[in-house]
Amino acid sequence: MLSAGRKEEVSVSETKMVQLVAPDGTAVGDTDVGLSPEALRDLLRRMIVSRRLDRECIALQRQGELTVYPGFEGQEAAQIGSATALGPDDFVFPTFRELAAAMVRGVDAVQYLWYHRGTWHGGPYDPRATRFGPICIPIATQIVHAVGHALGQKLDGLQACTLAYFGDGSTSEGDFHEAANLAGVFNVPAVLFCQNNGWAISVPTESQTAGEIFRRAEGYGFPGIRVDGNDVLAVYRVTKDAVERAHRGEGPTLIEAMTYRMGAHSTADDAGRYRDEAEVERARVADPISRYRIWLAAQGLIDGAFLSACEEEAESFALQVRQGVVETEAPPVEWMFDWVYAAPTEAFARQRREALGG
Amino acid sequence: MLSAGRKEEVSVSETKMVQLVAPDGTAVGDTDVGLSPEALRDLLRRMIVSRRLDRECIALQRQGELTVYPGFEGQEAAQIGSATALGPDDFVFPTFRELAAAMVRGVDAVQYLWYHRGTWHGGPYDPRATRFGPICIPIATQIVHAVGHALGQKLDGLQACTLAYFGDGSTSEGDFHEAANLAGVFNVPAVLFCQNNGWAISVPTESQTAGEIFRRAEGYGFPGIRVDGNDVLAVYRVTKDAVERAHRGEGPTLIEAMTYRMGAHSTADDAGRYRDEAEVERARVADPISRYRIWLAAQGLIDGAFLSACEEEAESFALQVRQGVVETEAPPVEWMFDWVYAAPTEAFARQRREALGG
Amino acid sequence: MAEWTLSGALNQALRDALTEDPRLLVYGEDVGRMGGVFRVTDELQKEFGSQRVFDTPISEAGIVGTAVGLAFAGWRSVVEMQFDAFSYPSLEQVIDHVAKMRERTRGRVEMPVTIRIPSFGGIRGKEHHGESPETYYVHTAGLKVVVPSTPLDGYRLLRQSIADPDPVIFLEPKARYWSKEEGELDADGPGIGEGRILREGEACTLIAYGTMVARCLEAADVLASEGTDARVVDLRSLSPLDEDLLTRCARETGRIVVVHEAPRTLGMGAEVAARLMDLAFDFLEAPVVRVTGWDVPYPPASLEQHYLPSVERIAEAARKVAGY
Amino acid sequence: MAEWTLSGALNQALRDALTEDPRLLVYGEDVGRMGGVFRVTDELQKEFGSQRVFDTPISEAGIVGTAVGLAFAGWRSVVEMQFDAFSYPSLEQVIDHVAKMRERTRGRVEMPVTIRIPSFGGIRGKEHHGESPETYYVHTAGLKVVVPSTPLDGYRLLRQSIADPDPVIFLEPKARYWSKEEGELDADGPGIGEGRILREGEACTLIAYGTMVARCLEAADVLASEGTDARVVDLRSLSPLDEDLLTRCARETGRIVVVHEAPRTLGMGAEVAARLMDLAFDFLEAPVVRVTGWDVPYPPASLEQHYLPSVERIAEAARKVAGY
Ligand SMILES: Cc1ncc(C[n+]2csc(CCOP(=O)(O)OP(=O)(O)O)c2C)c(N)n1
Ligand SMILES: Cc1ncc(C[n+]2csc(CCOP(=O)(O)OP(=O)(O)O)c2C)c(N)n1
Ligand SMILES: [Mg+2]
Ligand SMILES: [Mg+2]
């Protein structure tokens, strides 16, 4: 009862969503986003490979090889389209659901999965080398980091920007707001990229806010834009525009990518407790991979052989990652101590020795 | 350099501000706000009395009778116009600058000033009896309380609402955002009343946010409105509308009242360090009292005798409050302990005895 | 006799409290439709309706802050912070308002707010899902802090917390949610502020709370097999502390080991040690020994058992004090 | 020789650090144009420009969180929380990120962030302007926490904090901002992790930090006039603690009084007492006595001197332990 949804009273302009390719694969906008045929094909390849890996991860969790795993099925276009729009000097601060984006940035999937295996915390890969920040759990806190990082880029006079990923649910946290407001007032080169996947664990977006997320931007004095998050070309285009805008020193952009969380919140979650299976079936129609495959085929850019190659790569990559994961051993006990302080005291060293049984 | 102010890039609709009486006292809108002549006169009387008291408080602080005092000169219309629009069942959560509003609600000025005398914390008066919450220092935290209180009113099925006061600077805190979003999603009878007085200590509003505060509401799914905060009729009208809307169960409203902090942030502050005196002089033109006095006189609603009576009342009230303040003694030491827990333990009682020297 | 899990007993406590008090609300992230990550609020929304049991946006400060406002309006709340570390965004509201409102208003506005926080480690959780936040709360005057270690006591403590006119931080040991106990649920019995002796012994006292209580009982078994009879105390109430019981244990056993998961520095062990100095210095025949988590961030799953006090570490400390 | 106030010395520390390190930023609420509520950043914006010294919106979590992001980008920050209680909104960022990022990234991303917090009471401040937040930080592994008690040591500690690759919580005793000391500013000398003996004595040791150091020195005068020579230790570094010095004082004086403004329960006194049990139990000839603020919210101005440890309370405690 407490949810509102009284949108008729609010005098907002009509909701627009950028879409270039409709769910049925037909073009509905200008699909010339400036990518080469290879790059266009690569988007599909990456989506296929990452979906296969995502499913492998869920299997790995079921088999006890990962502790918990938050799947991203359905969100491939949102992640891959946006990450592809970034340049090498740009930087990403992710949540915990951006494995597909991480791979675009060159993060090693096995190292990434150290996190979900319980091997190490959110920063197993080198965030500076990959320009992909540590996996971040406390909701919305990473958005503030992104804004700080973007401020650093601005102070350094770099032509670079920082992108923060976050979910629809994350926009309810104070940190989202402080980050967005600071981004506006400092006019930093930041892209605030919301994957609105319809759910925050068991809470649907309409119970998360009575407003529309992309409209928040206006209150912060910068543009907000809603994009079909399952349309990889549209996501790429919109993100690319925001990145270029940031590079030109014109400040932040808020992007709301409308997508859908096809799976449960994580392997620890049973979505059947709160979500109608019919809703999931309806969402399947908007699947990011199938529509893009249809469009690419209609452009004559791919054929059956390409698709088979993708499937094969996906298969072998998934198995390769599986192997890397299962072979990952627990780290030595001293890792608990080795990086807490740059120069530990004797008291700290004593605890370390005690823990090591010495 | 870090401030943005690039408003031209943002595609927002034109900024509108509700104003009924212009700074020169001429009517520019429908001034029939539904108040009787007595009530109209009362607004002026209250503004005159509260301004005089405000100045007395500053004098009291200079004389060491108050510890610090945050003046509200210039904000009389914003406070009195809004507080007057509330009904007896409505509730207020204030900041630390709403003495004028507190008096409208019937809070005893001397008891209120216990706070600024260092006699007791933010709740010296009875918040339940006066329906005026404790003075609140941690910026924006009280807005969340207001939303919770409004939720309680809604659950009780009352035709009542809760109004939160806060400043322009307060809108940068995470708590402002969480409160506003919760107000929207729970659709509670709340009025979020921002006194935009141009400054947050030394930081002007344009360094506080690159957006416009009233526009934030759209992102939360409820109406936001900007009003001339120095136009007491306009403030009354806009607040009354929001209150009635809330009473009808139509949910929250964000009001941004544009006013000006004529004095320093508080008696501990020296505004000369950061603010141009010329700006203050320019602001004086928009004084809430003089314009309303001119308008009332033009309507034939007041004469010289009325004004003299107001001045006299202001004078004697200020002196009466002064006397109450200077006569207020330090509370007994046991007050430190007496309300921390409903049922204190023996260990706690031991500390109490120790403190009392026993 | 019925068998209860801790999760089930807490669920029943909420159910009974909601039934008895029509002005009680239960809310938080995913507590409504889904019934909570640990099922503690399972079915309650169905039974009591979505006006009394409801989901909120992800806004911890908002959740706690609205409970403050609801208390002004005469509503009592049980709110949930989904995991230990996710209570940190609400610390300002807790420290500045929940803890201080009664004092600020000279008793006129009470804060009957219970903040439930699934806490502590041992479940192979991810980063930020295994922390021990008690110090932040215990140090804050105006709050009470309790931790049940068993299902029946969980029921009792939760009913007592909800009934308390003062705010109570209710830390639930995640690792014990599915532990079982037979018996009848009963809100009466030892109250907030009282610890309990779970095993008698004279050689030394092992003091713990939450998950570590079971480990202390195990350690006591090991010690018994070596001929050392260790007493085991479940503190239950971290604030206020049961000074009488602490003093009694010092007097009767002279040797004290305090066990907790939180990092050592300024963990509860520090207060227990200092308090025992205040109360019973002359009875202490050995230093109060702290067996605790290390002064490091809570580690990833693969290392957590090297962080958490083990039965062996506890037993070893007991041997040390017993032989002091 | 120059005479320095604490505020002036801290201002000079920031100036010198900004001059030496072009990648150092100083920011927070009202620190730029106005130069800070306590003038600690006075004139720095004029001298170093508004790119290096700047005002922020009122967003404490945002201030600390951006410092985390800036550290990723290779910038060092000194941020200000305007008053003690106003650091609470940033606790989540501090506990979850500032304290843990180095560990999380296995040393790859350091957090050279100094968080300055004007702290403690004694200035007849309003509610939330007199709190002692140290416990929240000292308990959090990954942070360092320091408190200067004099101008020259303030300069030294702030320079050291800024230079430290680890995050430092820098608590400034408000009541000492205008206290004066003569001498040359020098970043060298006792480092973070080291306390100092300010007055020698054998009968007992008074251990304090911040504002309470001066009160302990006063108490030592009173005690001296009674024939009791009390040692006075300025802890300076609350995390890490100077264990060597603590042990030495226990060995040499056998009797310890710890003094702080924070409420007693889980205040620093608890850790000092517990640590002394760990390190020097057999040397303790009396219980470690805690002279502290009461377990209540910080009181209004009119009562604060009844809350703060007075010279007399300190002296009385010293008499008690000395005669134990
Ligand atoms: C501060 C904080 N509160 C609560 C949680 C628990 N939590 C983890 S994920 C999640 C939902 C996030 O929803 P959304 O932002 O939409 O991201 P999604 O999971 O849909 O990708 C919650 C509540 C958390 N991690 N951090
Ligand atoms: C959480 C928090 N941070 C900082 C402060 C210090 N402070 C007190 S008033 C103030 C400025 C408030 O500005 P605004 O909201 O515009 O209200 P105004 O003072 O103009 O009435 C600040 C920063 C505080 N009280 N609380
Ligand atoms: Mg989501
Ligand atoms: Mg203001």
Side-chain angles (χ1 to χ4, degrees):
Chain A
M1 70 95 217
L2 285 166
S3 288
R6 301 146 300 99
K7 285 181 189 131
E8 68 287 1
E9 299 171 11
V10 184
S11 62
V12 295
S13 53
E14 204 202 330
T15 301
K16 279 194 216 120
M17 178 170 83
V18 177
Q19 191 184 60
L20 303 180
V21 177
D24 65 5
T26 56
V28 292
D30 178 3
T31 52
D32 181 5
V33 299
L35 288 175
S36 68
E38 288 68 32
L40 288 171
R41 276 192 288 270
D42 215 44
L43 290 174
L44 181 64
R45 186 185 63 77
R46 284 191 181 279
M47 289 203 285
I48 291 170
V49 170
S50 66
R51 176 168 295 182
R52 176 66 185 82
L53 177 62
D54 188 60
R55 291 181 179 174
E56 192 67 28
C57 290
I58 290 171
L60 280 164
Q61 194 282 334
R62 301 272 179 250
Q63 293 151 13
E65 299 289 349
L66 298 177
T67 59
V68 193
Y69 177 77
F72 57 78
E73 182 156 333
Q75 303 180 214
E76 294 87 352
Q79 293 189 28
I80 291 168
S82 54
T84 302
L86 294 170
D89 292 338
D90 300 327
F91 202 102
V92 172
F93 283 88
T95 73
F96 45 80
R97 204 187 287 286
E98 277 89 31
L99 173 52
M103 290 198 297
V104 175
R105 297 299 286 168
V107 173
D108 177 72
V110 175
Q111 277 223 344
Y112 181 99
L113 290 168
W114 279 21
Y115 179 75
H116 295 297
R117 187 167 170 81
T119 309
W120 196 246
H121 296 307
Y125 43 90
D126 184 339
R128 281 224 175 79
T130 57
R131 308 198 67 66
F132 193 85
I135 291 170
C136 184
I137 296 292
I139 297 289
T141 54
Q142 80 285 1
I143 317 176
V144 197
H145 306 164
V147 171
H149 190 270
L151 176 57
Q153 293 173 315
K154 175 176 171 164
L155 292 171
D156 274 321
L158 300 176
Q159 247 216 352
C161 73
T162 308
L163 181 144
Y165 285 111
F166 51 95
D168 44 297
S170 312
T171 63
S172 300
E173 288 280 13
D175 274 18
F176 161 79
H177 169 72
E178 298 196 11
N181 186 53
L182 286 163
V185 82
F186 291 157
N187 194 29
V188 298
V191 180
L192 307 186
F193 193 95
C194 177
Q195 291 182 71
N196 183 342
N197 64 3
W199 292 88
I201 310 186
S202 73
V203 176
T205 310
E206 65 269 21
S207 303
Q208 195 70 239
T209 182
E212 291 175 304
I213 291 165
F214 76 103
R215 290 194 193 282
R216 298 259 181 89
E218 187 171 309
Y220 303 119
F222 54 81
I225 190 159
R226 180 177 274 182
V227 62
D228 181 342
N230 288 0
D231 175 352
V232 71
L233 287 186
V235 171
Y236 173 81
R237 154 101 281 161
V238 160
T239 313
K240 188 82 184 165
D241 287 351
V243 166
E244 285 173 356
R245 206 174 156 270
H247 287 182
R248 286 194 306 270
E250 292 170 19
T253 306
L254 171 64
I255 298 173
E256 182 186 16
M258 306 304 288
T259 178
Y260 194 78
R261 195 192 78 201
M262 295 300 296
H265 172 71
S266 77
T267 50
D269 176 42
D270 169 12
R273 293 177 64 89
Y274 53 80
R275 186 167 77 168
D276 202 350
E277 197 44 43
E279 180 184 303
V280 183
E281 284 317 310
R282 279 195 303 279
R284 211 174 290 284
V285 174
D287 187 72
I289 298 187
S290 62
R291 90 165 74 170
Y292 187 54
R293 196 182 48 221
I294 295 169
W295 180 81
L296 277 177
Q299 309 301 304
L301 286 169
I302 56 167
D303 55 15
F306 178 81
L307 286 175
S308 311
C310 288
E311 300 293 346
E312 266 164 47
E313 180 189 339
E315 196 60 28
S316 74
F317 183 71
L319 295 180
Q320 176 195 327
V321 171
R322 156 178 289 270
Q323 192 181 351
V325 166
V326 292
E327 285 173 0
T328 299
E329 308 215 338
V333 175
E334 54 263 38
W335 279 30
M336 247 190 319
F337 295 87
D338 281 353
W339 301 287
V340 179
Y341 292 103
T345 58
E346 169 51 28
F348 190 84
R350 210 167 54 232
Q351 289 196 7
R352 184 176 185 274
R353 283 195 300 274
E354 232 188 289
L356 296 176
Chain B
M1 69 90 219
L2 285 166
S3 287
R6 303 146 300 97
K7 282 179 189 133
E8 68 289 358
E9 300 173 12
V10 184
S11 62
V12 295
S13 52
E14 205 201 331
T15 302
K16 280 192 216 124
M17 178 170 83
V18 178
Q19 190 184 61
L20 304 181
V21 176
D24 65 4
T26 56
V28 292
D30 179 3
T31 53
D32 180 5
V33 298
L35 288 175
S36 67
E38 288 67 33
L40 288 170
R41 275 192 288 270
D42 214 42
L43 290 174
L44 181 64
R45 187 185 61 78
R46 285 191 180 279
M47 290 202 284
I48 291 171
V49 170
S50 66
R51 175 167 298 181
R52 177 65 186 80
L53 177 61
D54 188 60
R55 292 181 179 174
E56 191 68 28
C57 290
I58 290 172
L60 280 163
Q61 194 281 333
R62 302 273 180 250
Q63 293 152 12
E65 298 290 349
L66 298 177
T67 60
V68 194
Y69 176 78
F72 57 78
E73 182 155 335
Q75 303 181 217
E76 295 86 353
Q79 294 188 28
I80 292 169
S82 55
T84 302
L86 295 170
D89 292 339
D90 300 327
F91 202 101
V92 172
F93 283 88
T95 72
F96 45 80
R97 205 188 286 289
E98 277 90 31
L99 174 52
M103 289 197 299
V104 175
R105 297 300 286 169
V107 173
D108 177 70
V110 175
Q111 277 222 342
Y112 181 100
L113 290 168
W114 279 22
Y115 179 75
H116 296 297
R117 189 169 169 80
T119 309
W120 196 246
H121 296 308
Y125 43 89
D126 184 338
R128 282 223 175 80
T130 57
R131 308 198 67 67
F132 193 84
I135 291 169
C136 183
I137 296 292
I139 296 289
T141 54
Q142 81 284 0
I143 317 177
V144 198
H145 307 164
V147 171
H149 190 270
L151 176 57
Q153 292 173 315
K154 175 176 171 164
L155 293 171
D156 274 321
L158 300 177
Q159 246 216 352
C161 73
T162 309
L163 181 143
Y165 285 111
F166 51 96
D168 45 296
S170 312
T171 63
S172 300
E173 288 281 13
D175 274 18
F176 161 80
H177 169 72
E178 297 195 12
N181 187 53
L182 286 162
V185 83
F186 292 158
N187 195 27
V188 298
V191 180
L192 308 186
F193 193 95
C194 177
Q195 291 182 71
N196 184 342
N197 63 3
W199 292 88
I201 310 186
S202 74
V203 176
T205 310
E206 65 268 22
S207 303
Q208 196 69 239
T209 183
E212 291 174 303
I213 291 165
F214 76 103
R215 289 195 194 281
R216 298 257 181 89
E218 187 171 309
Y220 303 119
F222 54 81
I225 189 160
R226 179 177 273 182
V227 62
D228 182 342
N230 288 0
D231 176 352
V232 70
L233 287 185
V235 172
Y236 173 82
R237 155 99 283 161
V238 160
T239 313
K240 188 82 187 167
D241 287 351
V243 167
E244 285 173 356
R245 207 174 155 271
H247 287 183
R248 287 194 306 269
E250 293 170 19
T253 306
L254 171 64
I255 298 173
E256 181 186 19
M258 306 304 287
T259 177
Y260 194 78
R261 194 193 78 200
M262 295 301 295
H265 171 71
S266 76
T267 50
D269 176 42
D270 169 11
R273 293 176 65 90
Y274 53 80
R275 186 167 78 168
D276 201 348
E277 196 45 43
E279 180 184 302
V280 182
E281 284 316 311
R282 280 196 301 280
R284 210 174 291 284
V285 174
D287 186 73
I289 298 188
S290 61
R291 90 164 74 170
Y292 187 55
R293 196 182 49 219
I294 294 169
W295 180 82
L296 278 177
Q299 309 302 304
L301 286 170
I302 56 166
D303 55 15
F306 177 81
L307 287 173
S308 308
C310 288
E311 299 295 345
E312 265 163 48
E313 181 189 339
E315 196 59 29
S316 73
F317 183 71
L319 295 180
Q320 178 194 325
V321 171
R322 157 179 289 268
Q323 192 181 353
V325 166
V326 295
E327 285 172 1
T328 299
E329 307 213 341
V333 175
E334 55 263 39
W335 278 30
M336 250 191 318
F337 295 89
D338 281 353
W339 302 287
V340 179
Y341 292 103
T345 59
E346 170 50 27
F348 190 84
R350 210 167 53 232
Q351 289 197 6
R352 185 176 185 274
R353 282 196 300 274
E354 232 188 288
L356 296 176
Chain C
M1 266 208 298
E3 193 182 55
W4 295 93
T5 62
L6 176 60
S7 173
L10 297 176
N11 179 260
Q12 190 59 36
L14 293 173
R15 178 173 294 106
D16 292 346
L18 281 161
T19 304
E20 276 182 25
D21 182 357
R23 294 192 73 77
L24 177 67
L25 306 174
V26 171
Y27 65 98
E29 295 158 17
D30 305 293
V31 305
R33 206 184 318 201
M34 185 173 94
V37 168
F38 293 103
R39 308 284 178 256
V40 175
T41 55
D42 206 19
E43 300 292 325
L44 298 178
Q45 184 173 75
K46 272 193 204 132
E47 293 168 40
F48 298 93
S50 60
Q51 300 231 359
R52 303 218 21 230
V53 179
F54 52 89
D55 290 323
T56 65
I58 311 179
S59 308
E60 290 80 9
I63 291 168
V64 172
T66 49
V68 172
L70 281 160
F72 272 84
W75 290 88
R76 203 173 270 265
S77 305
V78 179
V79 299
E80 177 178 307
M81 304 280 101
Q82 201 160 72
F83 280 87
D84 30 72
F86 310 147
S87 70
Y88 304 152
S90 69
L91 278 170
E92 182 191 27
Q93 285 285 354
V94 172
I95 300 171
D96 288 352
H97 295 302
V98 174
K100 296 186 174 66
M101 198 60 82
R102 185 175 204 285
E103 196 240 2
R104 181 180 296 143
T105 61
R106 293 193 284 149
R108 282 160 174 152
V109 182
E110 301 201 310
M111 287 288 126
V113 176
T114 303
I115 304 181
R116 292 182 40 244
I117 315 179
S119 293
F120 315 117
I123 59 159
R124 296 185 58 73
K126 294 179 186 291
E127 210 183 350
H128 312 288
H129 290 73
E131 304 202 1
S132 298
E134 60 270 31
T135 283
Y136 304 122
Y137 298 109
V138 171
H139 179 60
T140 304
L143 302 175
K144 297 181 175 181
V145 185
V146 303
V147 191
S149 73
T150 68
L152 299 188
D153 203 38
Y155 178 88
R156 179 182 298 118
L157 273 173
L158 186 49
R159 293 299 307 273
Q160 293 170 349
S161 300
I162 296 170
D164 204 291
D166 289 324
V168 181
I169 308 295
F170 191 89
L171 304 179
E172 302 175 359
K174 291 185 222 66
R176 304 298 293 169
Y177 271 130
W178 312 116
S179 66
K180 288 179 184 148
E181 190 176 19
E182 273 198 5
E184 298 305 327
L185 300 178
D186 187 355
D188 293 333
I192 294 175
E194 292 177 60
R196 4 175 238 174
I197 297 176
L198 293 189
R199 176 181 176 130
E200 278 298 350
E202 301 294 320
C204 65
T205 307
L206 310 179
I207 299 180
Y209 50 94
T211 310
M212 289 299 114
V213 171
R215 290 220 172 159
C216 285
L217 289 168
E218 272 186 73
D221 283 341
V222 172
L223 291 163
S225 73
E226 300 166 6
T228 303
D229 61 328
R231 178 179 295 184
V232 177
V233 165
D234 178 2
L235 221 38
R236 300 175 75 247
S237 175
L238 308 189
S239 178
L241 271 175
D242 188 342
E243 289 199 341
D244 289 344
L245 181 60
L246 291 181
T247 308
R248 206 179 115 198
C249 293
R251 281 171 186 259
E252 292 173 1
T253 73
R255 297 169 155 87
I256 308 279
V257 175
V258 199
V259 183
H260 55 71
E261 303 183 27
R264 185 169 303 165
T265 298
L266 279 178
M268 279 308 293
E271 185 57 35
V272 169
R275 200 71 72 98
L276 283 169
M277 281 230 207
D278 293 349
L279 298 168
F281 183 67
D282 293 334
F283 297 99
L284 291 179
E285 291 171 53
V288 175
V289 170
R290 298 184 279 174
V291 181
T292 67
W294 313 112
D295 284 314
V296 303
Y298 193 83
S302 61
L303 294 176
E304 69 181 347
Q305 293 306 336
H306 296 275
Y307 170 90
L308 297 171
S310 63
V311 171
E312 182 45 32
R313 270 172 69 200
I314 299 167
E316 186 52 34
R319 286 178 206 118
K320 189 178 140 196
V321 295
Y324 196 85
Chain D
M1 265 207 299
E3 193 182 55
W4 295 94
T5 62
L6 176 60
S7 172
L10 297 175
N11 179 260
Q12 190 60 36
L14 293 173
R15 178 173 295 108
D16 291 346
L18 282 161
T19 304
E20 276 181 26
D21 181 357
R23 293 191 73 77
L24 177 67
L25 305 175
V26 171
Y27 64 99
E29 295 158 18
D30 305 293
V31 305
R33 206 182 321 198
M34 186 173 91
V37 168
F38 293 103
R39 308 283 178 258
V40 175
T41 56
D42 205 20
E43 300 293 324
L44 298 177
Q45 184 172 73
K46 272 194 204 130
E47 293 169 39
F48 297 94
S50 59
Q51 300 231 359
R52 308 236 354 247
V53 179
F54 54 89
D55 289 322
T56 65
I58 311 179
S59 308
E60 290 80 9
I63 291 167
V64 172
T66 49
V68 172
L70 281 160
F72 271 85
W75 290 88
R76 202 172 270 266
S77 305
V78 179
V79 298
E80 177 178 308
M81 305 279 102
Q82 201 159 72
F83 281 87
D84 30 73
F86 310 147
S87 71
Y88 303 153
S90 69
L91 279 170
E92 181 190 29
Q93 286 284 354
V94 171
I95 300 171
D96 288 352
H97 295 302
V98 174
K100 297 188 173 67
M101 197 60 83
R102 185 175 203 285
E103 196 240 2
R104 180 181 296 143
T105 62
R106 294 193 284 150
R108 281 159 173 154
V109 183
E110 302 202 310
M111 286 288 125
V113 176
T114 303
I115 304 182
R116 292 182 40 243
I117 314 179
S119 294
F120 315 117
I123 60 158
R124 296 185 58 74
K126 293 179 186 293
E127 208 183 351
H128 313 288
H129 291 72
E131 305 202 359
S132 298
E134 61 269 31
T135 283
Y136 304 122
Y137 298 109
V138 171
H139 180 60
T140 304
L143 302 176
K144 296 181 175 182
V145 184
V146 302
V147 191
S149 73
T150 68
L152 299 187
D153 203 38
Y155 178 88
R156 179 182 298 118
L157 274 172
L158 186 50
R159 292 300 306 274
Q160 292 171 350
S161 300
I162 295 170
D164 204 290
D166 289 324
V168 182
I169 308 295
F170 191 88
L171 305 178
E172 302 175 359
K174 292 185 224 61
R176 305 297 294 169
Y177 272 130
W178 311 114
S179 67
K180 287 180 184 146
E181 189 176 19
E182 271 197 7
E184 299 305 326
L185 300 179
D186 187 356
D188 294 332
I192 294 176
E194 292 177 61
R196 9 175 234 172
I197 297 177
L198 293 189
R199 176 180 178 132
E200 279 298 350
E202 301 294 320
C204 65
T205 308
L206 309 178
I207 299 180
Y209 50 94
T211 311
M212 290 298 114
V213 171
R215 290 219 173 163
C216 285
L217 289 168
E218 272 186 74
D221 283 341
V222 172
L223 292 163
S225 73
E226 300 167 3
T228 304
D229 61 328
R231 178 179 294 185
V232 177
V233 164
D234 178 1
L235 221 41
R236 300 175 74 247
S237 174
L238 308 188
S239 177
L241 270 175
D242 188 342
E243 289 199 340
D244 289 344
L245 182 59
L246 291 181
T247 308
R248 207 178 115 199
C249 292
R251 280 172 187 257
E252 292 174 1
T253 72
R255 298 169 154 89
I256 309 278
V257 175
V258 200
V259 183
H260 56 70
E261 303 183 26
R264 185 169 303 166
T265 298
L266 279 178
M268 278 309 293
E271 184 58 34
V272 169
R275 201 71 72 95
L276 283 169
M277 280 227 207
D278 293 349
L279 299 167
F281 183 66
D282 293 335
F283 297 97
L284 292 178
E285 292 171 51
V288 175
V289 170
R290 299 183 279 173
V291 182
T292 68
W294 313 113
D295 284 314
V296 302
Y298 193 83
S302 61
L303 294 175
E304 69 181 345
Q305 293 306 335
H306 296 275
Y307 170 91
L308 297 171
S310 62
V311 171
E312 182 45 31
R313 270 172 68 200
I314 299 168
E316 187 53 34
R319 286 178 206 119
K320 189 177 142 195
V321 295
Y324 196 85

